[in-house]
Amino acid sequence: MKRLGIDRADWLAGGTVMAIGLFTLLEGMSYPIGTTRVMGPGYFPVALGLVMIGFGAGIILVEGRKRQSTPMPKFAVRGVLAVIGSMLAFTFLIERAGLAPAVFTMIMICAFAERNVRIVRTFITAVVLTIASIAIFVVGLKVPLQVVSW
Amino acid sequence: MVSMGEMGSNIALGFSVAFSLKSLFYCFLGVFLGTLVGVLPGIGILATLSLLMPLTFYLDPTTGLIMLAGIYYGAAYGGSTASILLNLPGTPQSAVTCLDGYPMARRGRAGQALFITTIASFVGSFIGMVLLAIFAPQLAVVAMQFQSPEYFSMMAFGLLAASLLTSEAPFRSLSMVAFGIVLGIVGIDIGTGAERFTFGQFSLLEGLPLVAIALGLFGIPEVIANSARTDTDPGEVRSISLRSMLPSRSEWTRSWAAMLRGSGVGSFFGTLPGTGGVTASFMSYALEKRIHKDPSQFGKGAVEGIASPEAANNSAVQTSFIPTMTLGIPGDPVMAIMIGVLMIHGIAPGPNVMVDHPDMFWGLVVSFLIGNVILVILNIPLISLWVWILKIPYSVLFPAIVMFVCLGVYTVQLSISDLVVVMAFGLMGYVFFLLRFSVAPLLLGLVLGPMVEENLRRSMILSRGDPLIFLQRPISAAFIAISLAMIAWLIFSHFYRRRRTAVAAID
């Protein structure tokens, strides 16, 4: 999809940068700006925000005009759900259930990032990695982590 | 100037630090892991360094740096293995090695190619190391006189060079640098004590955690993007015996000079802030092709085409420590991580590091020597180990990476909010990847940002608000002039190239 001969990835990229720049500018303006001689906490963020808005425009106007050989890759819904999901599971379980259940659950979920999940191989990987994580972090580095907590 | 006697005692100090059992162990661990990630395509150096950054909290800074540096130059050795055997670069720095390394392997000379790249890596590293030991102390003496205007101009130049010289998309890398600086603002402002960009979050007062950001940005998007890919056919890789690795006499004589030329090119680009191993390897390949009697041999298995870039890439790794250790200015994102580790341990990067912590600098330099000797052993007699490791399927590797990311971040300060930061930056990094951003410059901005702001403020106080101070001081003015020249050249080449392609289209 192209608008004005500029690739969608470039519109989005430039727009994102300009949005971050605008946010930085507005947030920076809520702090005292000071003077050039004695800068306040807001001076640098405001300047940076302005510069970023310029860079965002540059992405659209300059980089958008270059011919792209490869189209924008598709958003890997499966990969994102599996990887971020597994991390959420880890975050949820690490203090409630302990290291072993957290790591085991995380590996089992994470493996679903691949299209052809091989359950037996994943199970073995999860067991091995759970043991490895206990060996490295609890036994080796002596991090105060509960292996299993009730 | 630094006298020879002083040099001798410095090196003796380095030996005493680097030969302690602890240093030797972490040096070995670093180069071993470095070779491992270098060999395996799909796991980057930055991801690995970020993964092991939490481990340095348990070590003293010298040992931590010895290990992290070992990963960096170890990966520079290992990267060529996959390039030669699979035509898949293990690291971006060894992409050039595919061009002639893979054709050599197809002609049955894989062993010789692996042998020559290892020797070239050692030669390049050794020359880079000697230059580091000679020039770093001299440069530190000069840098002692730098004040905030010099620092500001130098950092501005470094950030510009890092974004403009290495990227096809300069506005994208500049944006990432700027975004990194914005993220560096989060927390308490050193100048005024004001809270900035914390949005009332208590956990943000001390700023965003570097480890969590680096792991999120470099560990997670890579895994998401690679998890869908199909594994390479392991049947393609044949085992290699030690005897089959010895090069012929003509291969030796042809590669020696190429290694030396490559080391020269690499040392130059390594020292320059903003350019590093990737630029060096491409430049040295282009040089070899240009000066060779028969350039048509390149791409068909010319031994010079692997010897020179590998030497260049490795010497660049060593000399990139020159600006990092003497000026406190990281030339590339890997060095930004090194600086980050120093700062986490409460060491202010800059020329004072060499005076206040000579044991650290010289211990590091001598550990490079030890590490490179270990690497030659790892990569020649033990090559079969790495060939075997290339057969590990990615479906086993990527859950392990995600696990180490989470555990690595969590164990730093047993903080759930750090895990949230990793997930947020992992997702953000993936979106940036889709939008064709390279996120590596962000790390440079994040580490340098607070220093840039501080030096800018100090300069303005010094000059009473007159920005001309950056042009009135000669060293500062030189950095500004080079920066402007760089921008002018980019604009010129942009329009020139466009006109040329327009002409080509008409023809």
Side-chain angles (χ1 to χ4, degrees):
Chain A
M1 199 165 78
K2 287 191 167 208
R3 256 180 229 152
L4 305 172
I6 293 167
D7 195 69
R8 192 164 67 123
D10 296 312
W11 278 116
L12 289 171
T16 308
V17 171
M18 288 170 87
I20 298 172
L22 188 66
F23 177 78
T24 310
L25 175 72
L26 293 176
E27 181 65 22
M29 275 163 49
S30 69
Y31 306 106
I33 307 286
T35 60
T36 307
R37 181 171 167 185
V38 183
M39 293 180 187
Y43 197 103
F44 196 63
V46 166
L48 208 54
L50 287 174
V51 168
M52 275 190 89
I53 294 172
F55 287 162
I59 293 176
I60 295 173
L61 297 176
V62 179
E63 279 155 29
R65 288 176 191 277
K66 285 185 186 160
R67 210 173 288 164
Q68 296 298 341
S69 45
T70 48
M72 192 169 113
K74 275 210 183 97
F75 189 85
V77 181
R78 194 190 174 97
V80 170
L81 283 181
V83 173
I84 302 291
S86 74
M87 295 170 81
L88 275 173
F90 178 88
T91 310
F92 183 76
L93 290 172
I94 185 72
E95 285 179 357
R96 288 180 179 83
L99 177 68
V103 170
F104 185 84
T105 315
M106 142 180 249
I107 308 288
M108 293 304 287
I109 298 175
C110 189
F112 282 87
E114 266 195 318
R115 218 155 276 139
N116 319 312
V117 193
R118 274 158 287 196
I119 295 295
V120 179
R121 187 200 256 181
T122 306
F123 184 79
I124 297 170
T125 313
V127 171
V128 171
L129 285 175
T130 306
I131 296 170
S133 65
I134 296 169
I136 296 172
F137 289 94
V138 180
V139 180
L141 295 170
K142 301 194 172 58
V143 181
L145 287 174
Q146 290 260 298
V147 175
V148 179
S149 59
W150 303 99
Chain B
M1 288 299 275
V2 180
S3 72
M4 286 308 283
E6 210 175 312
M7 190 76 148
S9 66
N10 282 334
I11 289 172
L13 173 68
F15 270 92
S16 72
V17 173
F19 270 98
S20 75
L21 203 60
K22 198 168 154 207
S23 302
L24 284 174
F25 173 73
Y26 283 101
C27 180
F28 174 78
L29 185 68
V31 296
F32 184 86
L33 290 171
T35 314
L36 180 70
V37 298
V39 168
L40 290 169
I43 306 180
I45 300 175
L46 279 169
T48 316
L49 282 174
S50 329
L51 273 173
L52 287 181
M53 224 184 336
L55 187 55
T56 63
F57 289 100
Y58 302 94
L59 305 169
D60 59 283
T62 308
T63 319
L65 277 190
I66 286 178
M67 181 182 71
L68 291 185
I71 295 170
Y72 189 25
Y73 58 81
Y77 270 74
S80 53
T81 309
S83 298
I84 291 167
L85 296 176
L86 294 176
N87 204 18
L88 259 179
T91 57
Q93 288 90 329
S94 55
V96 184
T97 308
C98 291
L99 297 177
D100 282 283
Y102 188 63
M104 273 183 86
R106 300 212 42 190
R107 286 194 330 211
R109 301 196 74 75
Q112 285 83 352
L114 290 167
F115 188 91
I116 286 173
T117 50
T118 303
I119 298 298
S121 299
F122 185 80
V123 171
S125 287
F126 189 78
I127 292 175
M129 207 180 332
V130 171
L131 293 174
L132 171 66
I134 294 173
F135 287 113
Q138 324 277 11
L139 195 57
V141 172
V142 177
M144 288 286 194
Q145 288 150 9
F146 286 11
Q147 282 181 310
S148 38
E150 281 80 18
Y151 271 106
F152 176 80
S153 305
M154 197 164 56
M155 288 184 208
F157 164 72
L159 289 175
L160 274 174
S163 340
L164 300 180
L165 297 182
T166 51
S167 169
E168 289 280 288
F171 281 109
R172 276 183 164 78
S173 13
L174 285 172
S175 303
M176 283 296 109
V177 168
F179 185 39
I181 300 179
V182 171
L183 295 172
I185 291 176
V186 176
I188 290 177
D189 172 29
I190 327 162
T192 59
E195 275 179 38
R196 295 190 293 179
F197 293 75
T198 54
F199 310 106
Q201 293 290 312
F202 187 69
S203 58
L204 291 179
L205 279 182
E206 282 179 30
L208 287 163
L210 178 67
V211 177
I213 292 184
L215 275 174
L217 284 180
F218 302 114
I220 301 303
E222 216 164 49
V223 169
I224 296 175
N226 284 339
S227 59
R229 77 170 194 186
T230 45
D231 278 313
T232 44
D233 180 16
E236 241 183 276
V237 184
R238 260 183 253 139
S239 52
I240 285 162
S241 71
L242 187 55
R243 184 169 295 172
S244 74
M245 293 181 78
L246 283 179
S248 69
R249 177 168 289 193
S250 101
E251 279 171 332
W252 263 126
T253 47
R254 280 159 61 204
S255 47
W256 264 115
M259 287 179 198
L260 294 179
R261 283 191 294 268
S263 306
V265 173
S267 302
F268 175 73
F269 284 106
T271 317
L272 275 190
T275 56
V278 181
T279 323
S281 58
F282 276 93
M283 288 295 180
S284 65
Y285 188 82
L287 174 77
E288 289 303 320
K289 201 171 172 181
R290 180 159 296 177
I291 63 172
H292 200 271
K293 274 176 287 184
D294 181 12
S296 67
Q297 278 187 20
F298 281 78
K300 295 176 190 157
V303 72
E304 295 91 340
I306 59 170
S308 183
E310 279 300 314
N313 157 18
N314 282 276
S315 59
V317 166
Q318 300 290 332
T319 53
S320 63
F321 280 89
I322 296 178
T324 310
M325 297 306 285
T326 58
L327 308 171
I329 300 216
D332 61 30
V334 172
M335 289 298 133
I337 288 191
M338 304 277 173
I339 297 269
V341 168
L342 282 183
M343 295 200 296
I344 286 168
H345 281 277
I347 296 171
N352 285 322
V353 169
M354 309 209 33
V355 181
D356 299 341
H357 306 275
D359 52 321
M360 183 165 86
F361 178 76
W362 294 102
L364 195 59
V365 171
V366 175
S367 86
F368 291 169
L369 184 65
I370 300 169
N372 276 287
V373 173
I374 298 174
L375 279 167
V376 172
I377 298 168
L378 284 179
N379 281 278
I380 293 176
L382 296 179
I383 186 71
S384 340
L385 174 69
W386 308 113
V387 174
W388 177 75
I389 277 173
L390 266 181
K391 297 180 185 176
I392 296 179
Y394 197 70
S395 59
V396 174
L397 276 178
F398 78 84
I401 299 173
V402 179
M403 178 192 89
F404 278 111
V405 166
C406 288
L407 274 172
V409 166
Y410 181 67
T411 52
V412 172
Q413 43 187 1
L414 302 183
S415 140
I416 293 285
S417 72
D418 284 3
L419 282 170
V420 176
V421 172
V422 172
M423 284 186 271
F425 277 88
L427 204 55
M428 196 191 291
Y430 180 64
V431 171
F432 280 140
F433 160 79
L434 292 180
L435 299 178
R436 297 197 198 98
F437 283 101
S438 149
V439 288
L442 188 152
L443 209 56
L444 275 176
L446 179 63
V447 170
L448 280 178
M451 292 192 254
V452 170
E453 184 181 6
E454 203 189 329
N455 284 296
L456 175 66
R457 279 180 172 177
R458 281 201 204 145
S459 309
M460 285 303 109
I461 292 172
L462 208 67
S463 73
R464 298 172 190 192
D466 182 6
L468 283 177
I469 187 173
F470 297 115
L471 298 175
Q472 285 155 351
R473 303 168 67 105
I475 295 173
S476 164
F479 279 114
I480 301 279
I482 307 169
S483 307
L484 291 177
M486 196 164 61
I487 294 169
W489 178 76
L490 263 178
I491 294 172
F492 170 77
S493 67
H494 175 78
F495 285 109
Y496 179 71
R497 208 181 294 160
R498 196 196 268 174
R499 197 175 336 138
R500 213 171 38 181
T501 45
V503 171
I506 292 163
D507 286 349

